């Protein structure tokens, strides 16, 4: 087997050549994952796409194994999860992998999104690639929300109640929509059944959208820390072995941290109230969603009006869809945007503050803090980005990736 | 062309409907719709929670002060204006101010407000307090403060005798 840039591969193995002539999967793999020209200057932020893919597959495998012992019924779900934890061989491990895996999937994806924000990966010609990414985030959120309902603990039940009730804010038809979502007059067995069916389905839809995401990626190739396009072979390296090895290394490092949590602190990121069986007559004193939803939950509560809060919460994700058109700067990477660079970091701080507000009861100083941060979040996307792109003076861009990399090497 | 396109659209919608409708409450869920409660044991000033359609219903035996407080509020002060009398009447149109029966589901996002059990916080208006996002209800179960937009709902109920009430 041999190939060089552009030329179709030649397979020496007869069987592979026979198959490839009829169904060119080997040519595809060769082109997209071996010779694929990839910018030579990736930093470790570029590992998180591969990490997210591995986590998605891990969630599907552990999930299917859990489903073989799980019972989706309001009177049996909680006990079936406890049985998985105590009686089913290795059940505790599979469940902790799935539970902690959801958190680490979000950690990976949030870092992946930050990478896109900082290095301007959402800009032309990668707008659709970015939009597909936001869609994946939404699907992940729906999947994780429904998965969290399955163990039927107190947080499962009340989280489901609060979130499905968001739809009752819709004028006129809101209440009918909520009844329809529940399949009854409250969150109950029909709700649990349908959430299980959808929780099983959505991850496979995510796989399909990830496939489109990767197809879109491979049309124009990856962005890179400098945000400038590769101008020729001197700016790129073949994907394999350079980035297969680097991605493998990144995945292993990530997995070490993940495994440490699975084995030593599996409940650190969760809420103890979910080890109490669901009780429709008693709301826990303090309802909090899983950590990955906290900033959005804080935005929901920051607005003192029901419909307004719901609009703000969904709006916080919706602005991400139009981000490519809100940013008016022609320079992609923050490396060359001396002002915006700091504002991206401020946004990250604001998101952490919002998460902190979301984790605490809406009282005292958390009320004004969550309002200020919510206002800042929207200010960032709707005002700062369009205006700054026009007035900021970017630093001079290097002539090429190779040029910048070699100059840095030389000191 | 246009006609066959329109037919196809009608067909697609007609086919989609059973799938959408399938998610609506089933007949047996709808059938679970009444409970009968004996209220004799509830002393003045006390309240209990019963389960109806999977939801909590609060039954409060109000004190004369609570009734007075509820009746004296000016409608203009209420986010969701409703007189107290309109909230304590059964399906036979009989007003019983001493019995307040409301669905114990916060009209914000559906938590169960505190205030039914002895010792619970009852908020600034002496009714119920929702721990989730801080909505406060008065002695008539009407929303007074916080993000909830509406009063606690009053279910249909009928006193079949002075001590027996049928909810639903
Ligand atoms: C995008 C991928 C997925 C995410 C983010 C996800 C997330 C979650 C979360 C957060 C929980 C609650 C864990 C707990 O607190 O106990 C859960 C439970 C569960 N998930 Fe998933 N899941 C995914 C894929 C799957 C798949 C493909 C299946 C296959 C059927 C599955 C089956 C289950 C089952 C049976 C439970 C209940 C048992 C338990 O609570 O541990 N999941 N999921
Ligand atoms: S659910 Fe009661 S205040 Fe939000």
């Amino acid at each position: 087997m041999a190939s060089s840039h552009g030329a179709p591969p030649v397979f020496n193995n007869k069987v592979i050549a026979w198959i490839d002539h009829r169904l060119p999967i080997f040519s595809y793999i060769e082109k997209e994952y071996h010779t694929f020209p990839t910018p030579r200057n990736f930093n470790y932020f570029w590992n998180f796409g591969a990490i997210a893919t591995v986590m998605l597959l891990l969630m599907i495998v552990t999930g299917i194994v859990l489903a073989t012992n799980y019972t989706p019924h309001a009177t049996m779900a909680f006990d079936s999860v406890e049985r998985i934890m105590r009686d089913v061989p290795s059940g505790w491990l599979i469940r902790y992998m799935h539970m902690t895996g959801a958190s680490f999937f979000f950690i990976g994806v949030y870092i992946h999104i930050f990478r896109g924000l900082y290095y301007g990966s959402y800009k032309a010609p990668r707008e659709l690639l970015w939009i597909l990414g936001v869609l994946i985030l939404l699907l992940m959120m729906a999947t994780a929300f429904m998965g969290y309902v399955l163990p039927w603990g107190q947080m499962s039940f009340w989280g489901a109640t609060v979130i499905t009730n968001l739809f009752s804010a819709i004028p006129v038809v809101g209440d009918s929509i909520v009844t329809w979502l529940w399949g009854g007059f409250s969150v109950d067995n029909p709700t649990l059944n349908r959430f299980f069916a959808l929780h099983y389905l959505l991850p496979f839809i995510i796989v399909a959208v990830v496939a489109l995401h990767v197809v879109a990626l491979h049309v124009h190739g990856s962005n890179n820390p400098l945000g400038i396009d590769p101008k020729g072979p001197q700016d790129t390296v073949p994907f394999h072995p350079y980035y297969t090895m680097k991605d493998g290394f990144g995945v292993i490092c990530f997995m070490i941290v993940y495994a440490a949590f699975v084995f030593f602190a599996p409940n650190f990121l969760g809420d103890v109230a979910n080890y109490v069986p669901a009780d429709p007559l008693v709301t826990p004193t303090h309802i909090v969603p899983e950590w990955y939803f906290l900033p959005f939950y804080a935005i929901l509560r920051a607005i003192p009006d029901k419909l307004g809060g719901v609009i703000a919460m969904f709006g916080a994700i919706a602005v991400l869809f139009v981000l490519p058109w809100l940013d008016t700067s022609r320079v992609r990477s923050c490396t060359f945007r001396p002002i915006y660079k700091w504002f991206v970091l401020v946004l990250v701080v604001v998101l952490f503050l919002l998460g902190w507000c979301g984790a605490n009861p809406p009282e005292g100083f958390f009320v004004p803090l969550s309002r200020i941060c919510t206002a800042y979040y929207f200010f960032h996307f709707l005002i700062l980005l369009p205006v700054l792109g026009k007035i900021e003076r970017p630093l001079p861009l290097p002539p090429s990736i190779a040029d910048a990399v070699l100059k840095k090497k030389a000191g | 062309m246009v006609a066959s396109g329109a037919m196809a659209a009608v067909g697609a919608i007609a086919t989609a409907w059973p799938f959408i409708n399938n998610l609506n409450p089933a007949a047996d869920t709808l059938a679970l719709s009444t409970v009968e409660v004996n209220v004799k044991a509830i002393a003045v000033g006390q309240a209990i929670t019963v389960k109806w359609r999977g939801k909590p219903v609060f039954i409060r035996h109000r004190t004369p002060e609570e009734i007075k407080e509820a009746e004296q509020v000016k409608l203009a002060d209420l986010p969701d204006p409703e007189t107290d009398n309109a909230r304590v009447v059964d399906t036979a149109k009989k007003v019983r101010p001493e019995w307040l029966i409301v669905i114990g589901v916060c009209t914000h996002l559906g938590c169960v407000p505190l205030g039914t059990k002895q010792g619970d916080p009852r908020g600034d208006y002496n009714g119920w307090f929702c721990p989730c996002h801080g909505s406060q209800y008065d002695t008539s179960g009407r929303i007074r403060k916080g993000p909830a937009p509406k009063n606690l709902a009053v279910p249909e109920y009928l006193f079949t005798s002075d001590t027996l009430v049928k909810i639903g």
Side-chain angles (χ1 to χ4, degrees):
Chain A
M1 189 174 78
S3 88
S4 60
H5 281 282
V10 180
F11 297 102
N12 297 332
N13 182 312
K14 289 251 163 53
V15 179
I16 290 183
W18 187 90
I19 295 175
D20 200 72
H21 188 60
R22 287 153 183 87
L23 180 69
I25 42 174
F26 296 102
S27 301
Y28 174 81
I29 293 171
E30 174 71 15
K31 174 162 172 281
E32 305 294 342
Y33 292 100
H34 181 183
T35 54
F36 192 69
T38 314
R40 61 192 283 178
N41 60 334
F42 280 178
N43 58 28
Y44 280 105
F45 276 119
W46 265 260
N47 280 136
F48 286 88
I51 288 170
T53 311
V54 169
M55 289 314 290
L56 175 61
L57 297 179
L58 184 143
M59 292 308 288
I60 290 180
V61 172
T62 53
I64 291 173
V65 174
L66 280 175
T68 59
N69 279 297
Y70 169 78
T71 314
H73 190 280
T75 58
M76 292 183 269
F78 188 88
D79 292 341
S80 79
V81 173
E82 283 310 301
R83 182 175 161 271
I84 291 172
M85 295 299 289
R86 293 153 201 247
D87 298 341
V88 175
S90 305
W92 61 274
L93 179 58
I94 306 289
R95 178 177 181 238
Y96 278 158
M97 284 174 78
H98 196 74
M99 205 170 109
T100 311
S103 278
F104 275 77
F105 190 16
F106 274 95
I107 291 176
V109 165
Y110 281 153
I111 296 175
H112 187 67
I113 295 173
F114 168 76
R115 186 279 315 264
L117 274 180
Y118 191 86
Y119 296 108
S121 302
Y122 49 85
K123 292 188 198 184
R126 297 186 183 82
E127 300 95 323
L128 278 181
L129 173 61
W130 170 264
I131 287 174
L132 287 167
V134 181
L135 189 62
I136 292 169
L137 175 65
L138 269 181
L139 288 167
M140 276 175 69
M141 288 175 151
T143 308
F145 161 65
M146 289 193 267
Y148 193 64
V149 176
L150 302 184
W152 212 240
Q154 270 292 65
M155 278 301 167
S156 298
F157 184 90
W158 290 102
T161 298
V162 167
I163 301 300
T164 46
N165 263 308
L166 293 178
F167 294 90
S168 70
I170 300 169
V172 191
V173 291
D175 287 326
S176 319
I177 290 182
V178 174
T179 305
W180 177 76
L181 286 173
W182 288 338
F185 302 105
S186 60
V187 171
D188 208 334
N189 195 51
T191 327
L192 177 59
N193 276 204
R194 60 188 60 184
F195 278 17
F196 181 54
L198 292 174
H199 185 69
Y200 209 131
L201 168 71
L202 285 186
F204 295 93
I205 298 196
I206 295 178
V207 169
V209 182
V210 168
L212 291 177
H213 188 71
V214 172
V215 169
L217 171 70
H218 281 212
V219 176
H220 294 281
S222 299
N223 185 27
N224 63 78
L226 295 172
I228 56 179
D229 292 328
K231 296 196 174 72
Q234 75 282 5
D235 288 343
T236 64
V237 289
F239 190 82
H240 178 74
Y242 292 95
Y243 287 120
T244 42
M245 290 304 123
K246 187 164 176 176
D247 277 346
F249 177 69
V251 167
I252 289 169
C253 292
F254 190 82
M255 285 298 162
I256 291 173
V257 182
Y258 164 61
F261 273 85
V262 169
F263 286 104
F264 299 111
N267 291 306
F268 177 76
L269 294 163
D271 194 302
V272 288
N274 224 26
Y275 285 104
V276 177
D279 180 352
L281 299 187
V282 181
T283 307
T285 38
H286 183 200
I287 298 190
V288 271
E290 291 287 85
W291 69 266
Y292 36 84
F293 292 134
L294 288 175
F296 302 101
Y297 191 57
I299 291 176
L300 167 76
R301 295 192 307 189
I303 314 279
D305 172 77
K306 180 166 161 179
L307 183 58
V310 173
I311 291 175
M313 187 180 77
F314 285 107
I317 306 261
V319 286
L320 296 178
F321 279 109
V322 289
L323 175 63
W325 295 276
L326 291 172
D327 187 346
T328 49
S329 169
R330 256 173 302 165
V331 173
R332 286 196 194 111
S333 171
C334 273
T335 313
F336 304 106
R337 298 190 60 183
I339 306 177
Y340 184 57
K341 174 188 200 152
W342 297 107
F343 281 107
V344 180
L345 299 178
V346 171
L347 182 71
V348 173
V349 172
V350 164
L351 280 166
F352 273 98
L353 287 176
L354 277 171
W356 186 39
C357 293
N360 281 286
E363 296 159 2
F365 122 97
F366 289 109
V367 177
L369 183 65
S370 63
R371 292 199 181 146
I372 292 169
C373 291
T374 300
Y376 184 84
Y377 182 90
F378 287 102
F379 165 80
H380 177 99
F381 287 105
L382 298 177
I383 298 172
L384 186 82
L385 261 174
V387 172
L388 200 61
K390 299 257 194 264
I391 57 179
E392 182 185 44
R393 201 141 177 248
L395 304 177
L397 297 178
S400 76
I401 295 176
D403 199 75
V405 173
L406 298 177
K407 207 172 267 163
K408 204 158 132 199
K409 266 253 174 68
Chain B
M1 268 281 281
V2 173
S4 55
M7 272 314 285
V10 170
I13 292 168
T15 315
W17 173 245
F19 289 87
I20 296 168
N21 192 29
N22 182 265
L23 295 176
N24 271 319
D28 60 335
T29 310
L30 291 169
L32 285 175
S33 47
T34 58
V35 285
E36 215 165 23
V37 188
N38 189 331
V39 294
K40 205 162 146 199
I42 310 171
V44 175
Q46 274 187 356
I48 61 160
T49 303
V50 297
K51 198 166 160 187
W52 174 65
R53 285 179 161 184
K55 296 181 189 189
V57 169
F58 300 150
I59 305 180
R60 167 161 281 163
H61 197 167
R62 296 194 296 181
T63 63
E65 300 82 66
E66 286 168 350
I67 297 171
K68 214 167 104 200
E69 217 180 304
E71 285 173 345
Q72 282 176 348
V73 179
K74 280 199 277 320
L75 282 191
D77 292 345
L78 297 171
D80 180 12
E82 233 185 330
T83 61
D84 184 56
N85 257 351
R87 296 174 57 78
V88 288
V89 51
D90 72 5
T91 42
K93 297 275 182 289
K94 186 154 169 31
V95 178
R96 292 172 199 263
E98 67 278 22
W99 293 109
L100 174 69
I101 303 180
V102 290
I103 296 178
V105 172
C106 181
T107 58
H108 181 224
L109 296 175
C111 292
V112 179
L114 298 171
T116 302
K117 271 210 285 287
Q118 220 96 45
D120 272 357
R122 289 173 65 170
D124 298 351
Y125 299 89
N126 211 15
W128 284 272
F129 169 75
C130 183
C132 290
H133 318 95
S135 290
Q136 315 212 11
Y137 297 89
D138 67 10
T139 56
S140 186
R142 291 171 298 199
I143 180 67
R144 301 300 290 274
K145 210 169 132 186
K150 286 192 229 132
N151 302 334
L152 292 179
V154 177
E156 285 194 352
Y157 61 85
L158 178 67
F159 276 87
T160 45
S161 74
D162 275 344
T163 53
L164 263 189
V165 56
K166 201 175 85 192
I167 299 171

